[in-house]
Amino acid sequence: MNNNLFETVIRKTRQLIHSERFIHKHRIGTGFTRNRKLSFSQLIYFILASGKKSIGVNWSDISHEFPSLNLPSVSKQAISKARQKISSNACLELCQLFSKIFYKYDDAFSLWNGYHIYAVDGSTIQIPPSEENINFRGSNPNQYGKDEPLASASLLYDVMNDIIVDSYIGKYRLNEREAAERHVDFFAGLHLSGKHIFLFDRGYPSYDLFSKLMSYQLFFLMRLSSSFKNLINTEKEDVLVRYQPKGRKLSLQLRCIHVQLPDGNTEYLVTNITDTAFTVDTFRELYFLRWGD
């Protein structure tokens, strides 16, 4: 990160953290509305600067390292209770602010053949055990038959520049296609120039996601499951197809690619990249960028 970009991130982050709009939007209930020792902004700084240590150790370390924050002397219980008065969406907005600044102010992007490359993926994550989390996020019985609170996480990741562009934590067994559409909508709102390709695994292909990406003039490459017989049931390893599921008014022009794996199996990919300069080998290389080095 160059110095100008770093300084801009710090300045814009401070402005956001102290803005009345941000505080009002992300405080829960009447939290931080009274004249308390610990302010909303101080607690946000603490959350951002905390490492993998206990609350008490983190508070002490941050107080000494950043004396300008004027962190008050408060108990661990008070800090923990205050954190419950801040919406998790505050951190999401701060992360999205970084993405907006990064792509606006940095001009030294790492690209693949002139393209920005992004991967979308999701996972199930464990969250702190509580009845509230079980009711809000969902749960699944563990090996002892006890309900374990779980959530779903989804990320939009810039493969070439090694940053998370957007993230989302939702209820357990969140529809990953819906989460992907949220990422695409956020990304489109950045209004970035250049050429962009999104990579997806086989749980994501759908007419709606194809359409959304194409409506934003974004390229994609997705792995297909065997259920898409009308796309992959062909002997040609590289073919243009018209895709129009029953009940849809418009057909989409897509390209189906057959990739032979070293073990002899065939992997099926679908894309809206019709440029003939992209060969089967090109798509093979592109798709495996999804996992990085």
Side-chain angles (χ1 to χ4, degrees):
M1 186 184 297
N2 62 56
N3 289 336
N4 289 337
L5 176 59
F6 180 78
E7 291 172 359
T8 302
V9 169
I10 296 299
R11 176 169 51 83
K12 294 285 188 179
T13 299
R14 283 175 176 167
Q15 290 174 353
L16 180 60
I17 289 173
H18 289 279
S19 70
E20 287 298 322
R21 181 203 63 80
F22 184 78
I23 295 172
H24 179 75
K25 180 180 179 180
H26 296 299
R27 70 186 178 203
I28 297 175
T30 58
F32 306 99
T33 57
R34 299 177 182 176
N35 185 21
R36 296 181 181 275
K37 293 175 63 177
L38 179 60
S39 72
F40 177 95
S41 300
Q42 287 173 321
L43 190 55
I44 287 290
Y45 283 125
F46 169 72
I47 292 171
L48 294 178
S50 292
K52 294 182 178 180
K53 300 177 182 178
S54 68
I55 291 177
V57 173
N58 274 318
W59 193 263
S60 177
D61 289 348
I62 295 169
S63 296
H64 285 91
E65 189 171 354
F66 302 101
S68 62
L69 294 179
N70 296 315
L71 295 182
S73 177
V74 292
S75 67
K76 293 182 293 183
Q77 291 78 12
I79 298 170
S80 180
K81 186 176 181 180
R83 286 199 305 189
Q84 298 177 38
K85 300 295 184 181
I86 295 180
S87 167
S88 60
N89 287 328
C91 293
L92 176 60
E93 184 171 346
L94 287 165
C95 290
Q96 291 179 337
L97 173 67
F98 172 78
S99 297
K100 294 173 182 177
I101 297 172
F102 177 78
Y103 289 106
K104 182 177 181 180
Y105 290 91
D106 199 347
D107 56 1
F109 301 117
S110 295
L111 305 175
W112 176 82
N113 293 336
Y115 289 82
H116 294 267
I117 306 297
Y118 310 91
V120 175
D121 205 356
S123 182
T124 297
I125 58 174
Q126 290 183 321
I127 55 178
S130 71
E131 194 66 28
E132 183 180 16
N133 276 338
I134 290 177
N135 293 334
F136 184 69
R137 298 292 186 188
S139 63
N140 197 50
N142 59 22
Q143 58 183 325
Y144 305 107
K146 184 177 180 180
D147 279 345
E148 183 177 75
L150 299 169
S152 295
S154 182
L155 297 176
L156 172 61
Y157 175 68
D158 184 327
V159 174
M160 306 305 297
N161 294 285
D162 194 27
I163 70 165
I164 294 173
V165 182
D166 189 35
S167 61
Y168 177 69
I169 296 179
K171 295 182 182 295
Y172 176 48
R173 291 181 175 170
L174 169 77
N175 186 312
E176 58 188 1
R177 293 172 181 170
E178 292 179 4
E181 290 190 26
R182 291 174 64 114
H183 295 318
V184 173
D185 285 334
F186 168 75
F187 180 86
L190 296 176
H191 303 293
L192 303 182
S193 59
K195 299 180 291 185
H196 309 273
I197 302 176
F198 286 68
L199 308 178
F200 299 86
D201 206 352
R202 60 183 175 183
Y204 290 92
S206 71
Y207 181 93
D208 289 336
L209 188 53
F210 296 155
S211 297
K212 180 176 285 289
L213 286 157
M214 294 171 77
S215 71
Y216 287 132
Q217 297 183 327
L218 299 172
F219 295 111
F220 62 81
L221 180 64
M222 304 187 192
R223 183 182 174 191
L224 288 172
S225 69
S226 58
S227 63
F228 285 86
K229 298 185 183 301
N230 50 347
L231 285 178
I232 65 177
N233 188 18
T234 174
E235 295 180 357
K236 296 181 179 180
E237 68 171 8
D238 185 354
V239 62
L240 292 177
V241 297
R242 301 300 303 187
Y243 181 57
Q244 187 175 7
K246 186 177 180 180
R248 301 291 186 169
K249 294 182 179 180
L250 299 176
S251 65
L252 306 176
Q253 179 171 272
L254 302 175
R255 185 177 179 184
C256 185
I257 309 296
H258 294 196
V259 174
Q260 298 299 318
L261 300 179
D263 62 5
N265 291 319
T266 301
E267 197 165 80
Y268 302 100
L269 306 176
V270 65
T271 182
N272 60 337
I273 301 172
T274 57
D275 185 352
T276 55
F278 279 69
T279 65
V280 172
D281 287 337
T282 307
F283 285 115
R284 178 189 290 109
E285 176 189 345
L286 173 59
Y287 184 72
F288 284 101
L289 289 176
R290 175 181 165 83
W291 287 276
D293 295 330

